Amino acid sequence: GDSVTQMEGPVTLSEEAFLTINCTYTATGYPSLFWYVQYPGEGLQLLLKATKADDKGSNKGFEATYRKETTSFHLEKGSVQVSDSAVYFCALSGDSGGGADGLTFGKGTHLIIQP
Amino acid sequence: DAGVIQSPRHEVTEMGQEVTLRCKLISGHNSLFWYRQTMMRGLELLIYFNNNVPIDDSGMPEDRFSAKMPNASFSTLKIQPSEPRDSAVYFCASSFGGLSNQPQHFGDGTRLSIL
């Protein structure tokens, strides 16, 4: 079945540091890929998405590129802020033939940004 | 616009009791997903609906769990009888268009504790 693997952390960085959170996936067909962010006590919020190979999703300074050759969707940000502290989830939605499909999530990466 | 609304936010009850979790979809959305989040297993898809029809319930743990969509904008997840191992945060999410590349919008979750 489909699966997503991501570094679990916690990842601790200083403010303005460069961020990379690795994500690789296993899936049949052509899944859509997502990054979600979860703040304490809240639900998941969509951060960015990419729906086909070589697409780049971007939002709030975060970027991720859909790499089919390496089955990866790594999250990057050039300069992190304290407010970026949260748990980040990589997820995929299977290519089930056109219908909506449930998400398969990675375990989540807890990011801590220190002033 | 109102997001996905879940109730209650917190539920504490004794084992053996019936528990009902509620979810109101975003207006116009036609796909509904229930997830469970635990420290040990992360985020797991329980069941999802397209246009009020259950599509995949293979993630529902046991017959003690049931989910319904009595109308296009509302869903319930029921556990009867509840057990301590059901303690988790339960999220519902909705999406538009019935396509796997559409992002899912999450509620804030119900934190369930079974004593």
Side-chain angles (χ1 to χ4, degrees), chain A residues 12-39:
Chain A
T12 303
L13 296 172
S14 297
E15 203 166 22
E16 298 183 4
F18 183 85
L19 168 71
T20 299
I21 300 177
N22 289 337
C23 171
T24 57
Y25 68 90
T26 302
T28 55
Y30 300 90
S32 295
L33 302 175
F34 304 87
W35 276 100
Y36 282 84
V37 59
Q38 185 178 31
Y39 298 99

Side-chain angles (χ1 to χ4, degrees), chain A residues 32-71:
Chain A
S32 295
L33 302 175
F34 304 87
W35 276 100
Y36 282 84
V37 59
Q38 185 178 31
Y39 298 99
E42 297 184 11
L44 281 74
Q45 302 173 26
L46 177 69
L47 183 58
L48 52 84
K49 72 171 189 176
T51 58
K52 61 182 187 296
D54 300 325
D55 267 2
K56 177 187 283 188
S58 62
N59 185 27
K60 299 180 181 179
F62 291 90
E63 293 183 340
T65 301
Y66 188 163
R67 301 286 189 200
K68 189 160 179 64
E69 64 276 14
T70 55
T71 61

